[in-house]
Amino acid sequence: MSGPTRTPSGEEAIPFTFDGTTYHARPGDTLAAALLANGVGLVGRSFKYHRPRGIMTAGIEEPNALVTVGKGGRAEPNTRATDLFVYPGMVATSQNRWPSLSFDVAAIFGLAAPALSAGFYYKTFFGPAKHWMRYEGFIRRAAGLGNAPTEPDPDNFSQRAGFCDVLVVGSGPAGLKAALEAAEAGSRVMLVEQDAAPGGSLLRDPDPAIDPAAMVEQIKALGGEVLLRTTASGYWDHNFLTLTQRLAEPGAVPPHGFAQRLWHVRAGRVVLATGLIERPVPFANNDHPGVMLSQAVRSYVRRWGVLPGKRVVIATNNDDTYLTAQALVDAGAEVVALLDARASGPAAPAGVTVHYDARPSSVSGRKHALRKVTAVIGGSEQSFDADLIAVSGGFVPVSHLHMQAGGKLTWSEEAQAFIPGETPQACETIGSALTPPAAPAIAPAGKAKKSFVDFQNDVSLADIDLAWQEGYRSVEHLKRYTTLGMATDQGKTSNMVALSRLAEKQGVSVPQAGLTTFRPPFTPVTMGLLAGAGARNAGAHVRRIPLHGLHEAYVPIWQPLGYWFRPRAYPYADENLAQAALREARTVRTVAGLSDVSTLGKFEVSGPDAAALLELVCATTVGKLAVGRGRYTFMCREDGFVFDDGTVWRLAENRYLLTSSTGGADRMAHVISYVRNSLRPDLKCSVVNVQEHYAGIALAGPRARAILAGLIGTQPPRHMGYAPGVLAGVPVHVLAASYSGERAFEIHIEATHAAQVWRAIEAATRAEGGAPYGLEAMELLRIEKGHVVVGGEVDGRSTPHDLGLGSMLNKAGGFIGAAGLTRPALGAPNRNNLVGLVSLDGPIPEGGMLIQRSGQSPQGHVTAAARRILEGGAIALALLQGGHKRHGEELIVTSPTRGEKARVRVTSPHFYDPAGERYRD
Amino acid sequence: MYQITCPHCGPRAQTEFTYERTTDSVVDPASDAATAMQALFTRANPMGLDDEIWRHTYGCRAWMVLTRHRVTHEIHAVKAIGPEALP
Amino acid sequence: MKTPYSAFSLLRGALNGQKHWEPAWRDPEPRASYDVIIIGGGGHGLATAYYLAKVHGIRNVAVLEKSWIGGGNVGRNTTLVRSNYRLPQLHNFFEFGLKLWHNLSDDLNYNVMFSPRGAMFLGHNDGDMIKLAERGDAMRCDGIDAELLSPKQIAKIEPLLDLSRSARFPIDGALIQWRAGTARHDAVAWGYARAADALGVDIIQKCEVTGFVKDGNKITGVETTRGRILAGRTGICVAGHSGHVAGLAGLRLPIESQTLQALVTEGVKPMVQSVVMSQSLHFYVSQSDKGGIVMGGDPDNWPSYARRGQPTIKEHAIAQAVSVMPALSRLRMLRTWSGVTDMSFDGSPIIGPSPIDGLYLNAGWCYGGFKATPASGWTYAHTLATGKAHELNAPFSLERFMTGATIDETAVGPMPNHR
C-alpha cells in the first residue's frame, strides 16, 4: 500500500487504534475496510513461518487478518478484521509477532521452511520425554495466535429460546424474498444475517429493484423477527438450530451488560440462503499482502468506497470476476491485465487487456505491498507491475448447515463445486448456493512449495504432495497430517483447493476423493456464550433445606452435599470445626442435641401391595412389621451390591414411610419409580416422593425422651416405634430411631411449618443444657456406633455380608439384588469386610491404606476416621480383606500423600454400646 | 436438539427425558439367577433398532418404551407403560 | 528398509525437497490367511499388531480396518494419558502402559509427542480431598507417583484457575500425577502403523468384516468386503462397534455404545500448562501444542452409533470449565466432534479370550481408551500370541460379570447411563 486509498468524505468520525496508531473510520466500516482506507496493508503474520500477511477477503472466511480487539477481560483474540465493525475507541492489535508486525524476529522460521514441511515434528525431537518437553516449550510459545485475557470477563451472556414457522438464514436477495413471502403468508418468520447490514451480495452488487432495508422493515411490520450480527451456528435434530447473536462488537462495552445472546430455536422449516464463498487460486506467494479475492475487492470498492490497489491484475476462471474489473475501472483504478485461464470469456470493460490461457504463477513485493505479478500466458512468462491482484478460482456454495442437517451434496462438474442436494429435515437451500458460476478446473502454475492452500496454517501444495508421497492419502489423513482446514477459518478457503489436488493425486474425480464431516459451529463461538449464566455457578443451582434461613442465623460452617448445603457445625466464637463438633457430640452423649435431617430421602408407599413393592426394593423383610413399628433396612442394586440404606415404618395398615440417605435420594427415587412403573405396574400401590415435603429434625440424647414428652404431651414411642403427634401446634410424625447411638427420635414435619417446631424443640433442649449439632458431630457419633454411611462404607462395591448386614437379608429372596448376590465372587472369602480400627499411635488418616508391612500392597482402606467422644483416643471404620476374621490383628494405616501413619488394631466396628442399651426398651 | 414424542405430552426436547435400559435387559426378580444375570450383563447393542425404556423425567415423569434406531435415531414407535397404561 | 526419522534426515530433506520419504505404511492386498487377524485399525489394534511382531516375533499378522486407520476414537479424543486410578487392577495396568508411553517415540521412531506435563484432579470440598488422598495413597503404595497439592501450589501451575473461596465449587486442593500428560493422538496411530508395517504386518484398509468363518466350534477366519481371510486366531478390537462385530459371531457383550463429545478452541498462546480434571465436576481441560484448549465432559447418556451429540451436553461442560477457569470465556470454540464409546458394565475394559474358540476380545474402554493404547496393545498381543491373558489383563476377563469379580472404579454398577 502506498498511502490512503479512500478520499476522505468528512464522515470519518470514528477514531480507533491499530497497533497503537490512531486512525479514523466511517460508520459501517469493518476494521479491514478502515485499515485499507488508511493505507495499512500489513495486518498479521502467519502461524508457522511468520510470513507477512494482509487482508485477503471481506468476510468470515478470512484466514490472515486476525487481531486481538478490546481490553482487559473482554479482549477477544483471533478476531477477523473483516468481521469486526469499528466503534469509537476500538483498540486492535496484531498477533503472533515480536517485537512488531513489520519486524518480526520469528520470520526467521521462514528460512527454515524447507525443513519445516508438513509433519516435520513427527520425524524429530526424539529422546526421553523430558527432552521433548523442552522443545515443546518453544513450540507452544510459537504456536497459538492471540493471547487469552487473564482478567475475569466483565460481561454477561444471555440465552433465549425461539420458536418460528420459518427460519431464513441469510439476507441476500433470495433470503429476503423468502422471508417476506413467508411473512406475507402469515407465518412466524425469523431472518438471521451475520453481517451488520442486510443485503448479502446486494451490498457488493446492488440491484436497483431490491431495497434490503425496506424489505427488512416490511418483514418486521408483518411481525417477523430480523436479527443482524447473528450467525446460524449449528443445525441439530428436528429443526433445532443454535444462533449466536452479537449485541456488541468484540471488545466493545455492551450497552446492557450482555455481550452476546445464544438462541435455541425450533423452526417449522428452515430456508438456507447462505450463498457462496469465493475460491482462491494457488500460485507462488499467493499469501502476500495485496493478493485478494475478487468479490472482496468489489466489496471494498462498492460498499466501502476503498480502492485496495491502483494498478490491478485480475486472475480468474469465471465470468463473475469481470464485474470486479468493471468496478475497479469505474472507481478510477487501472486494470493492468485480466488473466483468464480459459480459452475465452465475456466482453471486458473498455481499456482492459484480457489474456486467455493465462494463469498467475507468482507475485512479489515488499512485506507491506505487492509490486509485481508474473503470469504464464499460453506457455510463456510475462510480468506486470501491480499493487493488487484480485483472484478467483471459482465459488464454493456455503453448505455447512445443510450438511449438519444431514443433507447430501451433488457435484457440479461445470462449477467444480458441491451443491446442496436432498435433506432429511424440513429444510431447503435457495439462491446462489444452488447456482455457482461455471468455473473449470485449472492446473496451478508456480512453485508448489510457495503456493499456499491453507493460509493460516501455512500449508502449501507441496505439503499436500508430501502427505501423498508418505502415504497419508485419504482426505482425513491428509487433513490431520498437514493440519489443513484446522485453523480458525475452518478451511473455508482451503478445503476445495486441497480436495482438487488430492483427487488429482488419487487419479479420481473430486467427489470420489471424499469429503470430511461438517460439524457445528459454522464459525467459532465464544465459550462464555455457551456457558451463559452457568459460568458464574458451574451450571449448578443451590438446593436449600426448609430451615436454611433459620440455620443461617447461627452462622454455621456449611457442608456442601451435591447441590444441598447442610450445617456442618455451629461453632462458638473461638472454636474451630473439630472443637465445635466434639463439643456438640459430647452434648448429645451426655444431655441431648437436635439436628436437621431434612435432606433424607423419604417416600410414602400406600396401598394393598405397598409391602410387596417395598420387599422388592429393600433387601430386608418389610411385610412383618406391625402397625406403628419400623426397622432398619438397606437396598441392593441388581448386581447385588448395597447402594443405599435407611429405615421403613408402617404408619397404618396399608401405609408405609421409607427413608433413605441424602446422597442417594435422587437415585432411590428413580429406582422406586422404575420398579413401580416399569417392573411391576400391576402392583396396587402408590408411591409419593416426599423428600422435600417433610423437614426432619433428629432429637438425640439421654434427655431426648423427656424433652419430647414435654413437647408432645404424651410418652414418645419406644425404640423403632412410630406415632403421630402434635408439637407446637403442628402435626408431626415421630419415629423412634437412633443413628447417633443415643435414644433418639426423628420428627418429620410438613416443611412450611418446620421453623416453629424447630424453635420449640431447641428451646426445650437448651433448657436442659443441650444444643443443636451438625453433620460433623453426627459423623463422630455414628462412627463410634459403627453405622455405615452411603459414600463411605457403602462404597458401591460392598455386599450386605461385607458390611456385617448379611443376617438381615430377606431369606425368602425375590428382592432386587438377590440374583446378583448368588454370583461366586460376592460370596468369596477374603472380600473387603467392614471392621473397626483402634489406634495404637495418634490420629488415623481417613482414606489411608491398610498394610501389614511397609512397602506392601494395600489390603484395605480407612472409610471414616474419628475419636472416642467421651473416652478420647483415635478410632476408625475401614474395609479390610477378610476383615471379619481378623479382629485383634495389628496393622499399619499409611497415607504417603499426607505423610501420615498410624499403627492400629482391628476390632469390631461397634465401639460404643454394641448391645444398644442406651435406647432399647 | 432431538425431540421425543411423549405419549402424554407430545413432542418435547430430548433433555427432558432419561434413558433407562433396553427392554430385554430388564431383570425379573422372579427369574432364576442365571437368566437374571444374562439379562443384566449382556446386550445386543445393535446398529439398528432396539426397544428402550425411557422416562419423561423433567416433564410428566411417565415411563415409555421407544423402538429407536441406534444409527439414524429415528423413533419407530412409542408406547406408554406403567399402571395407567395397563389394559 | 524405511528411512529412519531423525533431525538429520529432515535436514537432508530440506535440500532435496523432502523427496526421499517413503510411504509410512504399505497398501498390500490381503492374503488368503494369516496367523493372527486383528479386526480394527485404531490405536489399540495397530499397537497390538506392533507388539505381536516386536515382542512375540509373530509377523504374519493382518490388521483389517473398515475405513482408514486411526479414523475412530484414536482420531477424535482429548489425548489424556495417565494411570491415576483408585483400584489396583486398573492403576497397575495403566501404569505399565505409562512406562511404555515414556519411551514410545523412541521405540516407534515416530514422535508421538508424549508430554508428561502433569494431570491433576481438583477437589472441591473435604469429602473430595479425602477421596483424592485415598486414591493417591492407593497409587503410592503400589509405586505410582501421586502428590496432593494445596490451592497455593495449584496456583503456581495453573494461575488462571478460580481459586477464590466464593466460587460455587471452590477448589480445596488437587491430586496431581506429574508423570501423566498428553500425546498427539494421530501420531500414536500412525507411529504404531509405520512400525508394525516395517516389521511385516499387513495393514489392510477399506476392508470391513461382514461375518465370521466357523469350522465346527472354532472361528477360523472372517468374511470381509475384500474377500474371505482365514486366521489362526482372530482378535476383535473395534471399540464402540464391539457390540456390532461381536454380534456377527452371535455374542452379546456387557457393552452399550454411547456418544461422547469433545471440542477444541482456537489456538492461543500458552495458558493451561497441565491437564485439569475434577473429582466431582464433569469436565477436563488441557491445551494442545497448537494452542487450542481441548476439553470434554459428560457423555450423551443414551445408546447411539451416530457420532452426533446434543448441544446442551457441551454447553453444560463448558459452563463448568468456564466457572473453574474464567479466562476461557472469550476464547472461541472452533471444532467439535463425537465418537462412539463402548461403555462396559463396570467401567473397566474386557481383554481376553471370548467364549468362542479362536476368537478374542478387546473392548469396553468407555471414554478412557486412548491412554491405554500401549498397555492394551501389549497385553492383547500377549493374549493373542499365547492364547491366554497376561497377569495384567487377567482381571479384565469377560467372565467377571457372571462371577461377580467386577472392577468398578466409579462404583455405580452395571448401568452405563449412570456412569
Side-chain angles (χ1 to χ4, degrees):
Chain A
M1 302 240 99
S2 49
T5 64
R6 176 168 68 187
T7 313
S9 67
E11 292 169 61
E12 292 74 17
I14 307 180
F16 69 95
T17 69
F18 175 64
D19 277 356
T21 305
T22 303
Y23 302 94
H24 288 82
R26 286 186 194 165
D29 275 355
T30 57
L31 175 62
L35 288 175
L36 287 170
N38 282 280
V40 177
L42 176 63
V43 175
R45 290 274 176 174
S46 71
F47 174 65
K48 190 162 54 161
Y49 302 132
H50 287 249
R51 290 165 67 90
R53 294 287 169 83
I55 293 159
M56 201 175 100
T57 73
I60 51 101
E61 66 272 23
E62 175 61 37
N64 290 330
L66 301 186
V67 303
T68 298
V69 59
K71 294 194 291 245
R74 62 167 67 87
E76 287 193 32
N78 303 339
T79 303
R80 288 170 280 272
T82 51
D83 184 28
L84 170 64
F85 289 86
V86 184
Y87 50 90
M90 183 175 90
V91 175
T93 52
S94 59
Q95 303 181 150
N96 199 37
R97 78 294 180 274
W98 185 85
S100 75
L101 200 45
S102 19
F103 181 71
D104 181 12
V105 163
I108 208 150
F109 290 148
L111 295 176
L116 302 179
S117 49
F120 77 93
Y121 32 77
Y122 298 131
K123 300 189 168 92
T124 181
F125 302 125
F126 296 115
K130 283 281 178 257
H131 261 175
W132 159 242
M133 285 192 70
R134 232 175 283 136
Y135 302 124
E136 197 191 25
F138 286 116
I139 290 177
R140 285 171 85 88
R141 281 195 292 280
L145 294 160
N147 280 292
T150 53
E151 292 158 48
D153 195 327
D155 299 332
N156 293 303
F157 297 89
S158 104
Q159 296 198 347
R160 195 178 282 189
F163 302 90
C164 62
D165 299 317
V166 183
L167 173 67
V168 179
V169 181
S171 71
L176 284 168
K177 180 160 177 281
L180 185 55
E181 272 173 10
E184 281 166 346
S187 299
R188 279 180 312 169
V189 174
M190 280 180 81
L191 171 64
V192 302
E193 167 57 57
Q194 62 197 3
D195 204 325
S201 60
L202 296 166
L203 293 167
R204 167 190 78 225
D205 300 319
D207 180 341
I210 310 179
D211 180 349
M215 284 181 82
V216 163
E217 289 314 306
Q218 280 179 285
I219 293 164
K220 284 177 169 171
L222 290 163
E225 182 137 31
V226 179
L227 302 174
L228 299 176
R229 287 310 261 152
T230 302
T231 302
S233 166
Y235 197 140
W236 309 88
D237 294 293
H238 296 130
N239 266 14
F240 182 89
L241 285 87
T242 40
L243 316 175
T244 59
Q245 178 182 20
R246 282 213 176 265
L247 301 169
E249 286 301 304
V253 179
H256 305 293
F258 289 92
Q260 301 181 40
R261 179 179 290 138
L262 178 69
W263 290 81
H264 287 147
V265 176
R266 184 83 65 185
R269 63 182 177 92
V270 175
V271 176
L272 299 173
T274 44
L276 305 163
I277 286 179
E278 196 157 28
R279 186 172 149 163
V281 176
F283 51 86
N285 300 320
N286 63 334
D287 65 322
H288 202 282
V291 178
M292 294 181 65
L293 293 178
S294 151
Q295 285 193 340
V297 171
R298 212 149 85 223
S299 290
Y300 287 117
V301 171
R302 292 232 184 95
R303 182 173 173 185
W304 288 294
V306 172
L307 213 49
K310 297 201 168 76
R311 289 181 54 81
V312 189
V313 170
I314 295 181
T316 184
N317 67 350
N318 62 79
D319 290 354
D320 180 87
T321 322
Y322 284 67
L323 299 173
T324 303
Q326 185 67 61
L328 285 164
V329 163
D330 291 344
E334 184 189 347
V335 179
V336 163
L338 198 162
L339 310 169
D340 195 327
R342 302 171 293 178
S344 65
V352 174
T353 313
V354 183
H355 304 268
Y356 296 103
D357 186 23
R359 298 164 293 153
S361 61
S362 75
V363 300
S364 62
R366 289 174 336 195
K367 50 179 173 265
H368 306 263
L370 201 64
R371 279 260 176 87
K372 189 166 81 164
V373 174
T374 304
V376 174
I377 302 176
S380 49
E381 254 189 23
Q382 195 176 334
S383 288
F384 304 90
D385 290 336
D387 60 359
L388 172 67
I389 175 171
V391 302
S392 180
F395 294 88
V396 180
V398 177
S399 57
H400 302 63
L401 292 172
H402 166 83
M403 295 301 283
Q404 290 174 26
K408 301 257 182 295
L409 298 171
T410 58
W411 175 249
S412 160
E413 189 62 29
E414 201 187 34
Q416 289 291 297
F418 287 105
I419 320 270
E422 50 176 62
T423 144
Q425 300 210 49
C427 157
E428 61 165 330
T429 301
I430 61 173
S432 61
L434 294 177
T435 55
I442 307 289
K447 284 201 173 59
K449 180 73 191 159
K450 290 273 157 61
S451 301
F452 286 89
V453 178
D454 184 315
F455 296 90
Q456 198 173 118
N457 274 353
D458 278 337
V459 181
S460 68
L461 285 176
D463 290 321
I464 298 176
D465 297 344
L466 178 62
W468 175 264
Q469 175 191 328
E470 293 200 75
Y472 300 94
R473 297 187 174 172
S474 76
V475 64
E476 281 293 338
H477 282 163
L478 169 66
K479 291 193 84 166
R480 288 147 186 278
Y481 190 65
T482 61
T483 75
L484 82 88
M486 299 177 94
T488 64
D489 60 301
Q490 300 161 308
K492 293 189 174 66
T493 52
S494 58
N495 276 343
M496 287 310 301
V497 176
L499 204 54
S500 300
R501 186 72 161 194
L502 180 66
E504 195 197 326
K505 304 280 323 177
Q506 282 185 6
V508 301
S509 69
V510 170
Q512 286 175 307
L515 206 55
T516 52
T517 323
F518 285 83
R519 288 187 184 277
F522 172 61
T523 46
V525 177
T526 303
M527 295 282 274
L529 175 63
L530 296 165
R536 307 259 181 247
N537 64 359
H541 52 281
V542 170
R543 287 177 94 171
R544 283 193 177 78
I545 51 182
L547 294 171
H548 184 97
L550 184 152
H551 294 299
E552 208 159 38
Y554 294 121
V555 196
I557 297 173
W558 289 102
Q559 168 87 353
L561 259 149
Y563 292 173
W564 296 105
F565 287 91
R566 298 180 64 182
R568 193 173 181 187
Y570 304 87
Y572 293 158
D574 49 347
E575 282 182 327
N576 63 24
L577 172 65
Q579 291 162 337
L582 190 58
R583 173 187 49 77
E584 291 170 14
R586 281 203 181 114
T587 307
V588 172
R589 285 269 183 263
T590 56
V591 183
L594 71 157
S595 189
D596 191 317
V597 294
S598 301
T599 54
L600 291 178
K602 299 181 270 300
F603 304 90
E604 284 204 19
V605 186
S606 318
D609 290 336
L613 180 94
L614 286 166
E615 286 194 344
L616 272 173
V617 172
C618 301
T620 66
T621 59
V622 169
K624 296 196 183 108
L625 283 171
V627 175
R629 299 295 298 159
R631 62 157 302 154
Y632 171 77
T633 188
F634 54 91
M635 304 79 167
C636 294
R637 289 194 309 247
E638 284 165 320
D639 59 357
F641 295 105
V642 181
F643 82 94
D644 210 342
D645 72 344
T647 57
V648 61
W649 307 83
R650 192 171 190 178
L651 308 183
E653 176 74 26
N654 283 332
R655 188 162 163 233
Y656 293 80
L657 176 69
L658 174 71
T659 74
S660 67
S661 74
T662 296
D666 290 339
R667 181 170 182 166
M668 198 65 228
H670 189 78
V671 168
I672 289 184
S673 183
Y674 166 72
V675 171
R676 199 265 167 289
N677 286 280
S678 186
L679 199 58
R680 295 296 306 275
D682 59 299
L683 289 176
K684 291 181 181 49
C685 63
S686 85
V687 182
V688 183
N689 181 347
V690 291
Q691 180 194 30
E692 300 195 53
H693 177 81
Y694 289 118
I697 301 172
L699 175 62
R703 296 298 298 154
R705 178 155 60 179
I707 292 168
L708 189 55
L711 288 166
I712 61 176
T714 75
Q715 270 303 310
R718 59 193 177 90
H719 181 63
M720 296 318 288
Y722 156 78
V726 177
L727 202 161
V730 179
V732 296
H733 292 301
V734 179
L735 312 170
S738 174
Y739 184 58
S740 56
E742 300 306 317
R743 184 178 293 278
F745 304 90
E746 263 176 42
I747 297 131
H748 291 275
I749 321 104
E750 200 243 288
T752 46
H753 301 303
Q756 66 208 74
V757 173
W758 172 282
R759 287 195 218 286
I761 300 176
E762 186 191 352
T765 304
R766 284 198 190 276
E768 294 272 342
Y773 66 101
L775 287 179
E776 196 74 8
M778 219 183 277
E779 271 295 281
L780 293 175
L781 290 160
R782 70 100 185 165
I783 290 168
E784 198 176 42
K785 185 68 185 160
H787 281 155
V788 301
V789 88
V790 172
E793 298 69 39
V794 182
D795 64 354
R797 303 181 201 111
S798 305
T799 66
H801 180 77
D802 292 340
L803 298 170
L805 304 171
S807 58
M808 290 193 218
L809 283 168
N810 185 343
K811 294 182 185 31
F815 54 87
I816 292 173
L821 281 170
T822 65
R823 294 183 297 163
L826 276 79
N830 231 30
R831 289 186 56 82
N832 279 358
N833 301 149
L834 175 66
V835 296
L837 301 174
V838 170
S839 175
L840 304 172
D841 294 330
I844 301 171
E846 192 165 297
M849 296 291 121
L850 278 160
I851 55 175
Q852 278 175 317
R853 276 177 306 281
S854 245
Q856 260 205 340
S857 263
Q859 297 181 354
H861 69 280
V862 174
T863 58
R867 44 160 294 158
R868 297 299 307 270
I869 293 166
L870 297 175
E871 295 92 335
I875 55 168
L877 297 175
L879 289 167
L880 173 66
Q881 280 173 17
H884 291 325
K885 294 195 163 69
R886 295 174 73 174
H887 293 194
E889 205 174 307
E890 270 186 38
L891 295 171
I892 301 168
V893 173
T894 177
S895 174
T897 59
R898 289 169 285 189
E900 292 167 19
K901 243 191 179 107
R903 286 175 310 133
V904 294
R905 190 172 58 250
V906 180
T907 65
S908 149
H910 308 292
F911 302 91
Y912 179 79
D913 185 27
E917 285 157 16
R918 298 287 282 177
Y919 46 78
R920 283 196 202 286
D921 297 297
Chain B
M1 170 61 61
Y2 190 63
Q3 275 185 326
I4 294 174
T5 299
C6 170
H8 310 287
C9 309
R12 293 295 190 91
Q14 181 259 320
T15 43
E16 292 183 16
F17 297 80
T18 48
Y19 164 74
E20 179 62 25
R21 66 206 295 167
T22 55
T23 53
D24 66 356
S25 72
V26 169
V27 173
D28 178 357
S31 67
D32 64 280
T35 311
M37 293 299 97
Q38 272 297 316
L40 182 61
F41 282 113
T42 68
R43 297 287 185 279
N45 199 24
M47 286 182 74
L49 292 174
D50 209 343
D51 288 332
E52 300 171 347
I53 301 172
W54 285 70
R55 182 184 193 194
H56 193 188
T57 309
Y58 299 100
C60 66
R61 300 176 73 71
W63 292 77
M64 63 204 71
V65 171
L66 305 182
T67 303
R68 194 177 67 87
H69 198 285
R70 300 288 180 81
V71 179
T72 64
H73 292 175
E74 268 175 62
I75 296 178
H76 289 226
V78 180
K79 186 180 70 149
I81 60 175
E84 303 84 13
L86 288 173
Chain C
M1 198 34 211
K2 285 207 183 99
T3 309
Y5 288 165
S6 68
F8 173 72
S9 216
L10 202 52
L11 283 170
R12 186 172 135 219
L15 300 171
N16 68 11
Q18 307 291 347
K19 292 269 181 291
H20 64 300
W21 300 114
E22 316 89 346
W25 50 83
R26 299 164 293 126
D27 186 20
E29 283 299 309
R31 296 207 288 269
S33 77
Y34 292 88
D35 289 344
V36 180
I37 283 177
I38 296 163
I39 305 174
H44 290 207
L46 293 165
T48 304
Y50 170 74
Y51 290 116
L52 271 171
K54 181 81 176 176
V55 175
H56 300 276
I58 299 174
R59 296 160 185 245
N60 189 13
V61 174
V63 175
L64 307 181
E65 166 52 48
K66 77 167 191 266
S67 129
W68 40 278
I69 54 165
N73 291 348
V74 72
R76 59 192 69 242
N77 59 67
T78 51
T79 79
L80 310 187
V81 175
R82 55 188 179 90
S83 66
N84 48 3
Y85 284 77
R86 167 67 180 90
L87 297 178
Q89 303 94 327
L90 289 167
H91 65 225
N92 290 330
F93 178 87
F94 285 106
E95 176 61 19
F96 177 79
L98 189 55
K99 294 195 169 85
L100 291 172
W101 275 108
H102 274 258
N103 287 315
L104 195 58
S105 295
D106 282 341
D107 286 346
L108 300 179
N109 184 231
Y110 200 108
N111 186 8
V112 302
M113 299 160 78
F114 169 61
S115 174
R117 49 190 49 258
M120 65 168 86
F121 275 101
L122 302 175
H124 303 279
N125 51 60
D126 283 3
D128 279 353
M129 291 314 299
I130 291 182
K131 282 274 173 263
L132 289 174
E134 184 186 315
R135 186 202 302 232
D137 290 339
M139 291 165 62
R140 290 277 291 271
C141 285
D142 281 340
I144 305 171
D145 68 309
E147 190 186 325
L148 282 172
L149 298 175
S150 67
K152 254 215 193 94
Q153 291 170 308
I154 295 172
K156 287 207 180 75
I157 306 163
E158 299 293 353
L160 295 176
L161 284 172
D162 179 5
L163 291 156
S164 69
R165 301 310 298 165
S166 59
R168 176 67 177 85
F169 296 107
I171 296 173
D172 278 6
L175 181 74
I176 191 164
Q177 181 177 31
W178 282 111
R179 291 164 56 251
T182 58
R184 177 92 177 94
H185 55 288
D186 289 319
V188 174
W190 299 334
Y192 272 119
R194 176 168 171 269
D197 174 88
L199 290 171
V201 170
D202 279 358
I203 296 172
I204 320 275
Q205 297 179 81
K206 292 287 184 212
C207 181
E208 181 170 0
V209 169
T210 54
F212 286 94
V213 179
K214 264 187 135 171
D215 183 5
N217 282 336
K218 189 173 146 93
I219 280 180
T220 54
V222 292
E223 303 286 5
T224 78
T225 50
R226 291 177 73 168
R228 169 180 289 207
I229 309 172
L230 299 178
R233 293 194 172 123
T234 303
I236 298 178
C237 201
V238 294
H241 290 80
S242 299
H244 168 72
V245 176
L248 297 173
L251 285 175
R252 287 169 63 108
L253 298 178
I255 286 177
E256 205 162 59
S257 298
Q258 284 183 1
T259 300
L260 181 67
Q261 302 181 64
L263 64 102
V264 67
T265 68
E266 297 175 334
V268 289
K269 296 296 178 198
M271 65 180 282
V272 179
Q273 326 307 334
S274 65
V275 177
V276 180
M277 304 164 286
S278 168
Q279 171 69 4
S280 48
L281 300 178
H282 301 143
F283 75 92
Y284 37 97
V285 171
S286 65
Q287 187 168 20
S288 81
D289 287 342
K290 294 224 296 294
I293 304 297
V294 181
M295 62 161 291
D298 276 338
D300 286 63
N301 258 327
W302 39 307
S304 173
Y305 287 93
R307 290 197 194 166
R308 203 170 73 243
Q310 298 304 306
T312 44
I313 301 267
K314 279 201 285 290
E315 286 168 24
H316 186 64
I318 293 170
Q320 297 201 323
V322 174
S323 275
V324 162
M325 191 178 279
L328 294 173
S329 182
R330 289 290 171 150
L331 301 188
R332 298 196 200 97
M333 179 177 81
L334 173 64
R335 196 161 53 245
T336 67
W337 61 90
S338 306
V340 188
T341 55
D342 39 337
M343 303 299 286
S344 76
F345 290 3
D346 62 357
S348 295
I350 301 163
I351 315 171
S354 82
I356 306 175
D357 192 13
L359 185 66
Y360 296 77
L361 298 172
N362 179 331
W365 291 96
C366 305
Y367 34 75
F370 178 66
K371 70 177 85 67
T373 306
S376 167
W378 197 97
T379 53
Y380 202 32
H382 178 100
T383 308
L384 286 165
T386 64
K388 287 200 301 288
H390 182 270
E391 186 182 38
L392 282 166
N393 64 307
F396 303 115
S397 69
L398 180 63
E399 289 70 43
R400 70 180 187 270
F401 298 94
M402 291 302 144
T403 63
T406 47
I407 301 162
D408 191 348
E409 172 83 2
T410 50
V412 294
M415 305 302 281
N417 44 308
H418 294 168
R419 218 153 271 299

